[in-house]
Structures are given as C-alpha cells and as structure tokens.
Amino acid sequence: NLNLYQDKLNLNALVIHPCDVKSWKVFENSKIPVLVENMDSHKQSFQTIGEIKKLLVNHPRLDLCLDINHLNSQNVGAPPLWQKKLGHKIKQFHLSAVDHGYYKASTKITDMRHALSIFEPNILNVLKVKQLPVILEGIVPPGRWDLAKKEFDLVRGRLL
C-alpha cells in the first residue's frame, strides 16, 4: 500500500517508468503524486507525445516527469513541443546522461561529469523552467566525494 509510505515519508512525488507497470490500479488511490517518465529509445513504448498523452488521459491522476535526455535519444519532438502539448501535466524535469562516455557503471571512474555537462549551458532557459523541480540524474562511485563536490560545483555554476 503506497499510502503507508506516504504517511511515513511525506514524498513530493513517485516517478515511475510506465513500461514497467503491470496494473495501474495500484496508483488509483495513492496519496503520493505519481509521475510517469517518458521513455528512451531502448524501450518499446511510452516514447512519444501521443503515447504519453493517451496514458495521462486514461489515468488523469498521473502527471509527467519529462526526461530531456530520453527525448534526445530519439526523434520524438523537442522539449518545447512537449511543453506546448503537455505542459499542464509536466511536474518535473529529469536531466540524465546516457553514456556519452561520461558515465560508466565501473567504480574506476576518474573524471566524473554530471548530466548537465552534456547539455547546452542555457538548457533551463530553453525549457522555460520556472518553479518546477529539475532532477539531475548521475552516478558518483562509492567513496568518491571529491567527484560529488565537482558535481555540486557544476550545478551551482549552471543553475544559479
């Protein structure tokens, strides 16, 4: 029961990959706001505006977490088009890295750069982000707090 977790944790949102959901009934009475994330080119569905819009119409309590790099991994429309079509349902943005040589699953990483390093410096202006959360998805290997500090410095430089 998701509501047990909400009572304990007071979550702002639960972001899910819609391609992994077997039954939407589990989310029907959730106190946690549920956001679906648009999928990348490695998934079979929920990549396009039409697929996401249909899902949101069929399940009006759901909202959208727009993953910008997932859009960049395929030709499904620029972020401003998604904002025009589904802007009222977008509650978060994800900036994530898809390999690009920046992230590897190995813990032997010596030069870690955050997801923002693969985007234009003005990406947030292009997105017209106002009061919506922008989630930076990345990897910091265990024990490499120096890399985490570099990421925070990069974020401060790009966002503030």
Side-chain angles (χ1 to χ4, degrees):
N1 184 338
L2 290 175
N3 293 332
L4 293 175
Y5 294 104
Q6 181 62 351
D7 291 341
K8 292 179 183 178
L9 301 174
N10 194 25
L11 300 173
N12 292 327
L14 173 66
V15 178
I16 60 171
H17 287 184
C19 58
D20 295 329
V21 175
K22 306 254 188 286
S23 171
W24 292 100
K25 288 185 180 186
V26 71
F27 303 110
E28 285 178 359
N29 297 313
S30 174
K31 293 179 187 175
I32 306 169
V34 179
L35 312 181
V36 294
E37 186 173 324
N38 58 299
M39 296 290 90
D40 63 21
S41 60
H42 301 291
K43 305 293 189 227
Q44 297 294 319
S45 57
F46 302 108
Q47 300 173 355
T48 67
I49 292 172
E51 289 173 309
I52 294 292
K53 185 174 183 178
K54 182 179 178 183
L55 176 65
L56 297 176
V57 166
N58 289 337
H59 303 280
R61 294 195 63 208
L62 298 176
D63 285 309
L64 177 60
C65 170
L66 189 62
D67 190 303
I68 303 307
N69 207 44
H70 287 179
L71 295 182
N72 290 342
S73 75
Q74 54 194 330
N75 188 17
V76 295
L81 178 61
W82 281 70
Q83 287 179 289
K84 181 179 178 184
K85 300 281 186 178
L86 297 171
H88 66 289
K89 296 296 276 183
I90 298 172
K91 304 300 180 196
Q92 285 185 5
F93 291 95
H94 278 187
L95 298 179
S96 59
V98 176
D99 197 358
H100 294 287
Y102 295 137
Y103 291 146
K104 301 198 181 340
S106 169
T107 58
K108 297 178 184 177
I109 299 169
T110 57
D111 180 25
M112 176 59 75
R113 289 180 268 176
H114 201 280
L116 279 180
S117 66
I118 67 172
F119 293 100
E120 300 271 337
N122 67 347
I123 186 67
L124 299 179
N125 292 331
V126 170
L127 295 175
K128 299 178 180 148
V129 173
K130 293 181 180 155
Q131 299 299 320
L132 295 177
V134 177
I135 310 302
L136 305 170
E137 295 180 294
I139 302 168
V140 176
R144 292 302 311 268
W145 299 112
D146 58 314
L147 298 177
K149 183 184 180 316
K150 285 182 184 179
E151 289 194 5
F152 283 118
D153 290 344
L154 178 63
V155 169
R156 276 192 214 102
R158 291 278 178 98
L159 297 179
L160 302 178

